[in-house]
Amino acid sequence: MNIIIDAMGGDNAPKEILLGAAAAVREYGVQITAVGRRRDIEACARENGIDMAGITVADASETIEMCDEPTAAIRGKKDSSMVVGLRMLAAGEGDAFVSAGSTGALLAGATLIVKRLRGVKRPAIGTVIPGAKQPYLLLDSGANVECRPEMLSAFATMGSVYMEKVMGRANPSVGLVNNGAEETKGTPAYVEAHRLLKYNKNIRFAGNVEPKDVPQGNVDVVVCDGFTGNVILKLTEGVAKMLVGEIKNVFMADLKSKLAYLMVKGGMKDFKKKLDADEHGGALMMGVTKPVIKAHGSSNAKAFKNAVRQAKLCVESGAVESMREKLAAVAQTEEAGA
Amino acid sequence: MNIIIDAMGGDNAPKEILLGAAAAVREYGVQITAVGRRRDIEACARENGIDMAGITVADASETIEMCDEPTAAIRGKKDSSMVVGLRMLAAGEGDAFVSAGSTGALLAGATLIVKRLRGVKRPAIGTVIPGAKQPYLLLDSGANVECRPEMLSAFATMGSVYMEKVMGRANPSVGLVNNGAEETKGTPAYVEAHRLLKYNKNIRFAGNVEPKDVPQGNVDVVVCDGFTGNVILKLTEGVAKMLVGEIKNVFMADLKSKLAYLMVKGGMKDFKKKLDADEHGGALMMGVTKPVIKAHGSSNAKAFKNAVRQAKLCVESGAVESMREKLAAVAQTEEAGA
């Protein structure tokens, strides 16, 4: 298996990206094609003693920056690491593409170069988020600020496939984010989405999930528009950060509390690990014809390695092919039901 | 000052409501009119030894239940504690109304009986939420799942008045919830709302506030539609509950960790108090002509007492009159700018 990576994307590129890639070669036995400025990549590997066995470099002279307008960057920077990598993926020169670069550009590039699956109007970003019971998949976590009901139904179908095939959840459940359990709740688009999800035979619909219950992790797939998804993803991080900061203050108050911290250090580490999004790799661009994964912009080697593992799982499990089949089945049901 | 209260609303009515009211009489020197079934109220006061000095009972035979359809309940249950109380407020027989009953019914009742301020299309629910730096006001926190840009601008105006007059914040700042700092971010309604807020001369607009920064409490007023506001309000509670549960597990793991808890017990109590929404009273129905306050449905005596204090602050500060003046000024600006 050959995973193509964007060696120039992200805050810590290329060093942490290459370190993560080298670790992935060792631990998962994958081949890596690292796309980016050959000179920079080789110099970085040399300076940091990174073992490049199993890693092939594909030269690309440009880099897409975080501030670039996404679609313009994809169309304009033809020799950027992201565009070259996505073209290699589309041409079958690798099995998946992983980048820690601009989310917007990666989404635009995946759509324009790798193309959408039939039945997908706009790809969604699917992110696995830590929950009390177990992690859950949130989609759309930020790609589309406005979503038509059919899009939410497609997200549910794809998210269910992902949780079953990649995360190994048997018969995953789907919840629609809404401000109440009743099917009449929410905007007209959410009322219609509820109806479509109810009749979507390829998913196990658990009904609306209220925001207070989302962090419980009782449903496997949490579906919403990208504006709401961005709020859920980022607010969860923000509230966690605030509370962890407050707890830290409690422990740092005096000598006694510092001693108390030492007594629960192990438990606190497990707690932090459970909250650590890096454990779950990156976000999948759901609805394109091949696996395209967005690693966190601030990825360190561990986070990037986990994103590569996630790419490997996507390839091995045939998740994208399953999504293609299920989406076709939904399209038939909707045509028959219309 | 006379605060009218719904003695029958909420999970713990009438006992906790009356206990809270009696405490408010003692601590804040207000007069209370408790609306509800006289027999039940008097029996409850007798059984629980509640001092009814300063509390007058106004008889009302019916109760609006949580499951009642809001508008139908307000129109149909003419002798309910909520409708009778709101009518007394509208008739000038009291200065504010506080209820822990159905949010939807209270919103419908406030709109139909107490009436809206000029320039307010739909009232919003404003809720004060604990933040890292300081508490912030979130509105709309759930009344209107869809909001036009002008509504968001009115919310900003009213929220600023509330934070200044009732919470004592000098020159409060307003943030618009959005998935990025740039003014082009969000749905078309949010882009337009950003423009209106920028030219709203009665507020200090701090630009978009990203969801991850909302819990920081850096802005005084956080404006969004009621669907998003419900997500922010309830997800904040949900994530906090999840994390507090996890921390509890860390402390309960073994004898050593239990001992550690005892060593930081004081700090943890302060931490919990900071997170405790009950400290801030209830939610104000923003945009009606007199103060109408929704206490938590699960209010205990302390939470209800704080909601009465909030009502008192609203009355004393003349917040509603200020909102009326500012909204009129905004209407003029918008007409001039159109």
Side-chain angles (χ1 to χ4, degrees):
Chain A
M1 188 185 307
N2 182 26
I3 310 290
I4 308 165
I5 65 165
D6 177 356
M8 314 310 284
D11 306 338
N12 307 312
K15 185 183 162 189
E16 295 291 323
I17 304 300
L18 293 175
L19 281 167
V25 169
R26 281 196 308 275
E27 292 181 35
Y28 313 136
V30 294
Q31 293 286 310
I32 299 269
T33 300
V35 188
R37 277 186 295 269
R38 182 182 301 277
R39 214 172 39 185
D40 293 1
I41 293 172
E42 288 174 352
C44 174
R46 205 165 44 237
E47 281 161 25
N48 296 286
I50 299 167
D51 180 3
M52 294 291 277
I55 304 178
T56 311
V57 178
D59 203 20
S61 63
E62 294 175 291
T63 302
I64 291 178
E65 307 296 340
M66 294 307 283
C67 55
D68 286 340
E69 198 285 312
T71 308
I74 292 295
R75 291 191 197 279
K77 292 186 168 177
K78 301 275 187 219
D79 201 39
S80 62
S81 54
M82 194 184 278
V83 170
V84 170
L86 286 167
R87 284 195 188 284
M88 290 178 72
L89 178 67
E93 295 168 38
D95 301 292
F97 180 67
V98 183
S99 174
S102 154
T103 305
L106 189 61
L107 189 70
T111 307
L112 292 168
I113 299 167
V114 186
K115 308 290 184 191
R116 290 165 299 162
L117 291 170
R118 203 176 144 231
V120 173
K121 288 187 178 67
R122 293 278 308 269
I125 299 174
T127 308
V128 175
I129 299 182
K133 190 181 155 204
Q134 56 187 358
Y136 64 93
L137 177 72
L138 176 76
L139 82 170
D140 178 9
S141 65
N144 310 285
V145 293
E146 289 184 299
C147 290
R148 285 163 47 192
E150 313 84 76
M151 290 168 69
L152 297 179
S153 180
F155 297 168
T157 300
M158 294 190 290
S160 295
V161 169
Y162 183 85
M163 288 311 270
E164 188 183 338
K165 295 278 180 179
V166 180
M167 300 288 286
R169 300 273 175 93
N171 199 15
S173 59
V174 175
L176 177 68
V177 177
N178 214 326
N179 61 329
E182 307 84 348
E183 60 187 59
T184 54
K185 283 285 180 180
T187 63
Y190 272 80
V191 173
E192 174 62 8
H194 187 106
R195 200 187 65 82
L196 290 180
L197 292 174
K198 208 164 140 184
Y199 293 105
N200 181 337
K201 285 184 182 146
N202 292 288
I203 63 165
R204 181 159 69 89
F205 185 42
N208 290 343
V209 54
E210 294 185 61
K212 76 172 160 46
D213 296 325
V214 165
Q216 290 302 311
N218 290 330
V219 292
D220 299 292
V221 180
V222 171
V223 169
C224 59
D225 66 89
F227 189 91
T228 303
N230 180 266
V231 170
I232 293 176
L233 176 67
K234 298 301 174 75
L235 188 70
T236 299
E237 286 177 18
V239 174
K241 191 181 159 194
M242 167 190 145
L243 294 180
V244 168
E246 297 285 341
I247 294 281
K248 205 173 164 186
N249 288 342
V250 169
F251 280 124
M252 290 299 115
D254 55 29
L255 206 64
K256 195 170 75 171
S257 63
K258 283 177 189 166
L259 183 61
Y261 179 75
L262 293 177
M263 292 161 73
V264 291
K265 206 174 166 185
M268 290 303 288
K269 275 197 176 160
D270 292 343
F271 164 70
K272 278 184 196 158
K273 186 168 175 173
K274 191 169 172 182
L275 286 187
D276 186 358
D278 289 348
E279 293 287 329
H280 303 294
L284 186 69
M285 301 290 159
M286 302 252 178
V288 290
T289 61
K290 300 198 171 180
V292 174
I293 282 150
K294 166 71 173 79
H296 279 238
S298 60
S299 286
N300 56 18
K302 184 185 84 173
F304 199 81
K305 182 194 77 178
N306 281 325
V308 172
R309 187 192 56 184
Q310 189 186 11
K312 179 176 179 256
L313 289 171
C314 284
V315 175
E316 280 173 350
S317 65
V320 172
E321 271 315 301
S322 294
M323 287 180 195
R324 188 196 300 273
E325 286 160 22
K326 295 274 173 125
L327 286 169
V330 172
Q332 282 173 2
T333 313
E334 282 178 1
E335 277 161 28
Chain B
M1 189 185 307
N2 182 24
I3 310 289
I4 308 165
I5 66 165
D6 176 357
M8 314 310 282
D11 305 339
N12 307 313
K15 184 183 164 190
E16 295 291 324
I17 305 300
L18 293 175
L19 281 167
V25 169
R26 281 197 307 276
E27 293 181 33
Y28 313 134
V30 293
Q31 294 285 310
I32 299 269
T33 300
V35 189
R37 276 186 296 268
R38 182 182 300 277
R39 215 172 39 186
D40 292 1
I41 292 172
E42 288 174 352
C44 174
R46 206 164 42 238
E47 282 161 25
N48 297 286
I50 300 168
D51 180 3
M52 293 292 278
I55 305 178
T56 311
V57 178
D59 204 20
S61 63
E62 293 174 291
T63 302
I64 291 179
E65 307 295 341
M66 294 307 284
C67 55
D68 285 341
E69 197 286 312
T71 309
I74 293 296
R75 292 191 196 280
K77 293 187 168 177
K78 301 276 186 216
D79 201 40
S80 61
S81 53
M82 193 184 279
V83 170
V84 171
L86 287 168
R87 284 195 188 284
M88 290 178 72
L89 178 67
E93 294 167 38
D95 301 292
F97 181 67
V98 183
S99 173
S102 154
T103 305
L106 188 60
L107 188 70
T111 308
L112 292 168
I113 298 168
V114 187
K115 309 290 185 191
R116 289 164 301 161
L117 292 171
R118 200 176 147 231
V120 173
K121 288 186 178 67
R122 293 278 307 269
I125 299 175
T127 308
V128 175
I129 299 182
K133 190 182 156 204
Q134 55 186 359
Y136 64 93
L137 177 71
L138 176 75
L139 81 167
D140 179 8
S141 67
N144 310 285
V145 293
E146 288 184 299
C147 289
R148 285 162 48 191
E150 313 83 75
M151 291 167 67
L152 297 180
S153 180
F155 297 168
T157 300
M158 296 190 289
S160 295
V161 170
Y162 183 85
M163 287 311 269
E164 188 183 337
K165 296 277 179 178
V166 179
M167 300 289 286
R169 301 271 175 95
N171 197 16
S173 59
V174 175
L176 177 69
V177 177
N178 214 327
N179 61 328
E182 307 85 348
E183 59 187 59
T184 54
K185 283 284 181 180
T187 63
Y190 273 79
V191 173
E192 174 62 9
H194 186 106
R195 200 186 65 81
L196 291 179
L197 292 174
K198 207 164 140 184
Y199 292 106
N200 182 337
K201 284 183 184 146
N202 291 289
I203 64 166
R204 182 160 69 88
F205 185 42
N208 291 342
V209 53
E210 294 185 61
K212 75 172 162 39
D213 297 325
V214 166
Q216 290 303 309
N218 290 330
V219 292
D220 299 292
V221 180
V222 171
V223 169
C224 59
D225 65 89
F227 189 90
T228 303
N230 178 266
V231 170
I232 292 175
L233 176 67
K234 299 301 174 74
L235 188 68
T236 298
E237 288 176 16
V239 173
K241 191 180 158 194
M242 167 189 144
L243 294 180
V244 168
E246 297 285 340
I247 295 282
K248 205 173 164 186
N249 288 341
V250 169
F251 281 124
M252 291 299 116
D254 55 30
L255 206 62
K256 196 170 72 172
S257 64
K258 282 177 188 164
L259 183 61
Y261 179 75
L262 293 177
M263 293 162 72
V264 290
K265 205 173 167 184
M268 289 302 289
K269 274 197 177 158
D270 293 343
F271 164 69
K272 278 184 196 158
K273 185 167 175 173
K274 192 167 173 184
L275 285 187
D276 186 359
D278 290 349
E279 293 287 329
H280 304 292
L284 185 69
M285 301 291 158
M286 301 251 180
V288 291
T289 61
K290 301 201 170 180
V292 174
I293 281 150
K294 166 71 174 81
H296 279 238
S298 60
S299 286
N300 57 17
K302 183 186 83 173
F304 198 81
K305 182 193 76 176
N306 281 325
V308 172
R309 187 192 54 181
Q310 190 185 9
K312 178 176 179 257
L313 289 172
C314 284
V315 176
E316 280 173 350
S317 65
V320 172
E321 270 317 300
S322 294
M323 287 180 195
R324 189 197 300 273
E325 287 159 22
K326 294 274 174 130
L327 286 169
V330 172
Q332 282 171 0
T333 314
E334 282 176 1
E335 276 161 29

